[in-house]
Amino acid sequence: MNLRQAATLCVALSICALLIVPGNFPGLSGDARITLAVFAIATCAWIGTPIDDTYIALGAGLALTATGVISSDELFGTLGDDTVWLLICAFILAAAVARTGLAGRAAAFLVGGARTVRQLVHLTTAALVVTAFAVPATSGRAALAMPVFLALAKALSDRKKLVVMLALLFPTVILLSAVATLIGAGAHLITVSVLWEAAGERIGFTEWLMIGLPLAVVSSHLAAEVVLFTTTGREDRRGPVHITAEQIQEHSDKPVTGPWEPAETRCALLLATVVALWCSEPLHRVPPAVVALIGAIVAASPALGTVRLKDALKTVPWALLLFMAATMAMGVALADSGAAKYLVGGIPLDLPPWLFLTVVIAVSTMAHLILQSRSARSSVLVPLVVAAAVGAGVNPVAAALASTAAAGFCHTLPASAKPVTLFADIPGTPTYTPRDLLRMSAVLAPMTAALVLLFAVAVWPLLGVPVR
């Protein structure tokens, strides 16, 4: 056992020992004490041990069920939540898109039009933002984008700094643009579940799109400028660039130019239809999960599909879904037992709404230094943020969304997020160093936090999410 593991174990045991003594924390019910003890152990295990995050979450959910804090129906019922089904079906659709090679065609179309370094950066950024609608996880989007990056790196092999810049640009934009859609990250689904259980507020795909897409577009393109200026000099940006379709084709096993194959046409039409139905939910009232299920069935159908259901299901991150379900159950326990309300009860909440949101955003932005899992951060922070917002007279939806959006910043260290790790070590290709990440994060972290605060205070109220 190393020093970090020993320290986290001591913290967890100390919290549990304090909770066991009946005289401590008057007004805290038995269920709330058990919930806080389980939550403390799980959080310390997430922070300080190499044990799989899903295993810890399932153990915590089981402990809460065995002690009677939540029922078995509440534990297992989270797996049937419509947001879980939405994510499953979205991954099946993503597998169909990946099988056809549409990503390569899109890359050749967009990036091939760049003639300057800045055009290349912003066209790449725009393309990566769009992938948030086709691939539901940041790690999946990073894997899908890797062949495109390798093609660009080979075409720019004589300009090493530009290759390093692009290696940093890809994970940066992938992570910040995830907030564009409800399916952009598992943390979003956890946030939606907590808001429904704790505050009775339901956020659908369309509502999230209206709130998240503008923030994703602005933050991604601003981040692109930050990456450009922190990794390259004026001389590096001055020369022209020209990426050909043939160079992208070398890293794709599907055609990136020429007539579309029937499978590509069908898949593109299906994806466009599904996204259109998601965006028009207020008109037809069909839940996003049902639309996704219809799309998944068509995508895997023998006559019209482009992927076999058996193969598509292999791409679904079942561990992430189990993690989400277990942490949803933990959120229910925190809310129903009164533990979350008690935790924030001693915090001075007589703050102006903007100051309250500033604290929430600052804590959420820095949380990735302690909790590396984005979903774990939301499962820990969002129930507490919602309870505190209610006590402070702040709209819990605005507070939860601000926390979730700010938690999307996780670029400080190579191990802070899977996309950052993936692009940090590419054999045969120059990439960024931890020093490059720190230099970029020193600018990007406060900028991202300030941008989220600006949207929460000035933009989201115009879109139907008031501060109070």
Side-chain angles (χ1 to χ4, degrees), residues 117 159 161-162 228-229 232-240:
V117 173
R159 303 169 73 175
K161 284 192 175 181
L162 291 188
L228 188 61
F229 278 96
T232 64
R234 184 174 297 177
E235 290 298 321
D236 301 310
R237 300 189 292 270
R238 182 171 295 172

Side-chain angles (χ1 to χ4, degrees), residues 31-409:
D31 283 353
R33 290 175 185 271
I34 294 172
T35 300
L36 290 178
V38 171
F39 210 81
I41 294 172
T43 303
C44 289
W46 282 328
I47 294 172
T49 70
I51 301 173
D52 185 80
D53 290 344
T54 302
Y55 187 86
I56 296 168
L58 289 174
L62 179 61
L64 292 170
T65 304
T67 53
V69 177
I70 59 176
S71 67
S72 59
D73 288 342
E74 288 175 312
L75 175 64
F76 297 127
T78 53
L79 274 174
D81 191 273
D82 57 352
T83 54
V84 173
W85 278 95
L86 173 63
L87 199 59
I88 292 173
C89 298
F91 270 101
I92 295 174
L93 285 167
V97 172
R99 183 66 62 92
T100 61
L102 284 173
R105 283 190 181 274
F109 175 75
L110 286 172
V111 177
R115 294 296 177 265
T116 67
V117 173
R118 178 166 278 105
Q119 284 180 356
L120 176 64
V121 166
H122 285 284
L123 285 173
T124 301
T125 298
L128 291 172
V129 171
V130 172
T131 62
F133 294 90
V135 183
T138 53
S139 55
R141 292 167 63 201
L144 185 69
M146 180 59 74
V148 178
F149 165 73
L150 292 175
L152 296 177
K154 186 173 181 179
L156 299 169
S157 57
D158 58 332
R159 303 169 73 175
K160 182 180 176 181
K161 284 192 175 181
L162 291 188
V163 176
V164 172
M165 180 271 295
L166 288 173
L168 192 53
L169 176 71
F170 272 71
T172 298
V173 174
I174 286 170
L175 290 167
L176 291 181
S177 62
V179 74
T181 71
L182 180 59
I183 61 173
H188 302 169
L189 305 181
I190 292 173
T191 298
V192 168
S193 175
V194 171
L195 279 172
W196 174 246
E197 296 290 344
E201 298 282 354
R202 175 73 76 180
I203 299 180
F205 187 93
T206 307
E207 290 82 4
W208 191 289
L209 183 69
M210 291 178 59
I211 296 165
L213 182 57
L215 175 60
V217 171
V218 174
S219 62
S220 295
H221 284 280
L222 286 178
E225 288 291 330
V226 171
V227 172
L228 188 61
F229 278 96
T230 56
T231 56
T232 64
R234 184 174 297 177
E235 290 298 321
D236 301 310
R237 300 189 292 270
R238 182 171 295 172
V241 296
H242 180 59
I243 311 297
T244 65
E246 288 74 17
Q247 291 169 322
I248 296 177
Q249 181 68 72
E250 291 177 9
H251 293 270
S252 176
D253 57 353
K254 300 288 185 180
V256 299
T257 57
W260 284 38
E261 296 179 358
E264 291 177 304
T265 303
R266 293 197 305 270
C267 189
L269 289 173
L270 174 62
L271 183 62
T273 302
V274 169
V275 173
L277 289 174
W278 278 339
C279 297
S280 58
E281 179 193 354
L283 299 177
H284 54 71
R285 300 295 181 182
V286 179
V290 175
V291 172
L293 181 57
I294 295 171
I297 290 175
V298 175
S301 65
L304 300 174
T306 59
V307 64
R308 292 190 304 172
L309 183 60
K310 179 175 66 174
D311 296 331
L313 289 174
K314 292 179 182 178
T315 67
V316 178
W318 298 105
L320 172 62
L321 296 176
L322 290 173
F323 177 87
M324 285 172 47
T327 52
M328 286 177 186
M330 293 171 65
V332 171
L334 276 173
D336 292 352
S337 68
K341 186 176 180 180
Y342 186 89
L343 279 178
V344 302
I347 302 175
L349 297 176
D350 52 342
L351 303 173
W354 68 267
L355 183 56
F356 175 85
L357 290 173
T358 300
V359 174
V360 167
I361 291 168
V363 171
S364 301
T365 301
M366 302 306 295
H368 72 282
L369 297 175
I370 300 174
L371 275 171
Q372 293 181 350
S373 168
R374 190 172 184 168
S375 296
R377 292 198 295 276
S378 287
S379 65
V380 171
L381 290 173
V382 174
L384 302 180
V385 167
V386 170
V390 173
V394 175
N395 182 4
V397 175
L401 290 174
S403 174
T404 305
F409 175 84

